[in-house]
Amino acid sequence: MRFWVIFAAFAAFLAIVSPPALAQDQAWLQVEAQPDLATAQDRARAYAALFPNVEGYQTGAWYAIVLGPMSRDEAGQELLKLRGENLIPRDSFIADGSAFDQRFWPAGVTDTAPAADPADPDPARIAAPDPEPQVVVIPDETLAEARDAEDALTKDEKKALQQALAWFGFYDGGIDGAYGKGTRGSFAAWQEARGFEATGVLTTRQRQSLLAEEAGEKAEFGFDLVTEAESGIEVTLPTALVAFEGYEPPFVQFAPRDASGPRLMLISEPGDRASLAGLYDLLQSMDSVPATGDRALEETEFTINAASDAVATYAWARSSKGQVKGFILTWTPQNAAKMARIVDVARASFRSVGDKALDPGLVPLDEAARQGLLTGLTPRKPIFSRSGVYVTAQGVVATKAEGLETCRSITLDGGTPASLGANDAASGVALVIPDRALSPSAVAAFAAAPPRRGIEIVVAGYSYGDKLPAPVLTFGRLDDLGGLNAEPGLLRLSAPVLDGDQGGPVLSTDGAVLGLLTGPGSDPAKTLPAGVVFAADAAALSGFLTAQGLAPLAFSGGSLGPDALSKSALGMTLRIDCWN
């Protein structure tokens, strides 16, 4: 019974005192919330020096400072304008007032009845002022009272609370209105995050605060179902944050409404799985797609969730019925939590409509844009690229060590993230470990005995970096075993190799790996004749791999024909990119 008395009193208070109940179209910009009244009054006084419409309301255990009231349309415009001018915090949002309790600012304000009409000639009909309304504040509920209040909720009201918890990432269970262990744990986590006692049962105030917070953030995003006819895509987008900018096939560009907002692009192009895979590979080389983060290419779709200290990007696309469609969202890492909610909404609502994809000829493109289909994105270039050789069936790579310690991130063949492993200072060779196991088409098999001087050798490598999609073979001669000063563990070669070949395998013409290319020499004061280069020999490489717990393959003998040699050499060679 006590709950219903409290609830009725609270409802009466809202009807008499609380501005949110006066007009459904009214809204406020909530700019701050403080845990104690004194601090909230000080902050409200500071805001009042800048804005004429500052109000303050208690909201549960917090004291909210708001600007308003105003219409919802005005609130949306003011939010963007004031945030763009850095006059209010970035996490300010639109509130509907449903969570507002007792007003504490402006100080000393009282509500009175309207003054009598001076044109009325009958003084007797001039109404006496209504008495000042009595402020009725709902007291904090006990745990038992909170449970009673919760039991009175309808199933839809219970579902709404689960949806709000899911919106903020506290709940990932089914939206069924049944409060089990998962829902209770989510309630407790939300309470703890908001400074309440973590009981797992929300009080009436807490329920109102949770729902108001969700409604305010959704209003800030301005979610709207957009049907993009030219691209054949229907998706819910945050139209308060982004605005249509134009077509740059295969993208529909949506620009941020302010400098700190996200950039969004819809993807739409004719194509099959090969087109999907090509787009996936090309996106890896964009400035806005960091090398770090999760990514996966599957049979009919890809997902990239990449982040660095400067930028974060989520990209998703799917191939279906001869079309590739998806979206890319890019933002600053500080907004990660809110952007994750935009991604969830876009993924859940995304669908292809009709049989239309964005026409590549919709707008004129230059040849570079037409070839790359990536207008609007800036290619990201590595610090350097070099070659490497697979030394295990799981994709562990051996390469030249020099300079790899300066790489902020490393990728293999333009896409797979990897990390720097062990380094052998004596041979100048390092291991690079892919973040996920790979299945190379060939693995280095090392020669068991030292080779003969003067034999023909083959170097496999990415001579021209990423300018060519595959390694090339360079032929040369083995001049000597050892360095110029008879240093052990080296081979001296004559071969017209380039910088991109460094780290690549050196093979005999029968297919045995004789060594790994490590450079022209270690003495920068000396200039060697053209074509003189050095390699760490097979014995040094095998010893290094064994010391790291790996089992190097031994060449089984026999001789490969030209085609088989080329296939083996190219299959074991890959490109290594170093990124800042």
Side-chain angles (χ1 to χ4, degrees):
M1 177 64 70
R2 183 182 176 193
F3 163 72
W4 293 109
V5 172
I6 294 170
F7 183 82
F10 183 65
F13 163 62
L14 291 178
I16 297 171
V17 177
S18 180
L22 297 179
Q24 292 183 349
D25 185 52
Q26 284 187 327
W28 287 257
L29 297 187
Q30 183 164 325
V31 294
E32 275 193 26
Q34 297 294 336
D36 64 88
L37 179 60
T39 303
Q41 289 173 331
D42 288 342
R43 297 299 296 149
R45 186 176 297 107
Y47 277 103
L50 295 174
F51 304 107
N53 57 342
V54 176
E55 296 181 349
Y57 294 93
Q58 187 173 358
T59 60
W62 293 76
Y63 296 86
I65 300 138
V66 300
L67 307 181
M70 62 192 81
S71 72
R72 287 190 176 276
D73 288 344
E74 290 173 332
Q77 295 170 4
E78 282 293 290
L79 180 67
L80 295 175
K81 175 177 178 291
L82 296 179
R83 285 199 316 180
E85 295 172 353
N86 292 321
L87 294 177
I88 59 176
R90 299 299 307 163
D91 58 356
S92 301
F93 61 89
I94 299 172
D96 62 6
S98 61
F100 295 172
D101 294 340
Q102 185 175 5
R103 181 160 62 181
F104 68 83
W105 189 270
V109 170
T110 58
D111 296 318
T112 58
D117 184 354
D120 192 330
D122 186 358
R125 294 211 307 260
I126 299 178
D130 289 338
E132 183 174 328
Q134 182 179 2
V135 175
V136 182
V137 179
I138 184 170
D140 289 336
E141 295 171 334
T142 65
L143 182 59
E145 290 167 341
R147 287 188 183 277
D148 290 341
E150 182 182 90
D151 289 342
L153 298 176
T154 67
K155 191 165 188 176
D156 285 344
E157 289 172 329
K158 290 182 177 181
K159 287 182 178 180
L161 292 169
Q162 287 177 323
Q163 288 170 336
L165 286 170
W167 175 257
F168 291 111
F170 291 96
Y171 180 68
D172 59 2
I175 307 299
D176 53 12
Y179 289 177
K181 185 177 180 180
T183 303
R184 293 298 177 198
S186 299
F187 281 149
W190 179 85
Q191 288 172 319
E192 185 175 9
R194 298 302 186 268
F196 299 114
E197 181 183 358
T199 65
V201 180
L202 300 186
T203 66
T204 300
R205 280 184 174 180
Q206 290 168 4
R207 293 197 304 272
Q208 292 172 338
S209 178
L210 171 59
L211 295 174
E213 188 179 355
E214 178 198 23
E217 189 168 275
K218 287 183 175 179
E220 176 188 349
F221 290 154
F223 283 118
D224 196 11
L225 184 63
V226 173
T227 300
E228 218 304 307
E230 290 291 346
S231 62
I233 290 174
E234 184 177 88
V235 61
T236 297
L237 299 181
T239 56
L241 304 183
V242 298
F244 174 78
E245 185 177 48
Y247 298 105
E248 294 175 341
F251 301 115
V252 185
Q253 298 273 9
F254 288 81
R257 289 188 180 272
D258 63 50
S260 62
R263 171 168 285 275
L264 188 142
M265 290 179 283
L266 302 181
I267 302 169
S268 176
E269 65 172 331
D272 53 14
R273 187 187 184 283
S275 302
L276 181 79
L279 181 62
Y280 173 79
D281 288 339
L282 287 168
L283 286 178
Q284 312 294 327
S285 66
M286 297 299 101
D287 252 345
S288 57
V289 182
T292 52
D294 298 330
R295 58 206 71 208
L297 173 63
E298 300 176 356
E299 186 64 27
T300 60
E301 68 178 42
F302 70 70
T303 303
I304 299 172
N305 193 1
S308 67
D309 293 340
V311 64
T313 292
Y314 181 92
W316 169 82
R318 178 172 52 209
S319 171
S320 177
K321 299 179 180 179
Q323 298 175 349
V324 175
K325 293 184 179 180
F327 68 90
I328 303 171
L329 184 70
T330 300
W331 65 90
T332 55
Q334 292 82 354
N335 296 325
K338 289 186 176 182
M339 295 302 106
R341 295 193 270 279
I342 293 176
V343 166
D344 289 344
V345 170
R347 278 292 303 266
S349 63
F350 190 97
R351 73 185 189 98
S352 181
V353 291
D355 58 358
K356 188 173 185 179
L358 201 61
D359 179 5
L362 186 65
V363 294
L365 303 176
D366 60 27
E367 186 58 27
R370 190 174 301 281
Q371 288 178 359
L373 292 178
L374 287 168
T375 300
L377 299 177
T378 304
R380 185 168 57 100
K381 293 296 184 183
I383 303 173
F384 62 81
S385 297
R386 69 171 49 137
S387 303
V389 58
Y390 289 113
V391 293
T392 74
Q394 292 73 40
V396 176
V397 176
T399 187
K400 179 180 176 179
E402 183 183 353
L404 290 178
E405 73 282 356
T406 67
C407 305
R408 189 168 184 177
S409 62
I410 298 171
T411 57
L412 307 180
D413 271 349
T416 304
S419 57
L420 182 61
N423 187 330
D424 182 27
S427 65
V429 174
L431 296 181
V432 176
I433 316 298
D435 287 359
R436 56 182 174 85
L438 302 177
S439 299
S441 60
V443 175
F446 297 99
R452 292 182 296 105
R453 294 175 177 83
I455 65 170
E456 186 177 26
I457 55 93
V458 181
V459 178
Y462 281 81
S463 307
Y464 303 97
D466 61 357
K467 293 183 175 62
L468 294 178
V472 298
L473 301 181
T474 303
F475 290 85
R477 185 181 67 250
L478 172 60
D479 286 340
D480 202 359
L481 306 181
L484 292 174
N485 296 311
E487 299 94 335
L490 291 178
L491 303 176
R492 177 161 60 89
L493 315 172
S494 292
V497 296
L498 300 177
D499 286 345
D501 294 310
Q502 298 296 328
V506 178
L507 300 93
S508 62
T509 54
D510 60 3
V513 174
L514 305 178
L516 183 143
L517 199 66
T518 54
S522 59
D523 189 347
K526 297 185 182 299
T527 302
L528 300 178
V532 175
V533 289
F534 294 87
D537 68 18
L541 289 170
S542 296
F544 172 48
L545 296 178
T546 301
Q548 303 308 313
L550 302 176
L553 295 181
F555 184 64
S556 59
S559 181
L560 300 179
D563 290 342
L565 172 63
S566 176
K567 182 177 180 181
S568 177
L570 299 182
M572 70 177 67
T573 307
L574 72 155
R575 191 179 85 241
I576 298 173
D577 292 323
C578 171
W579 306 91
N580 61 15

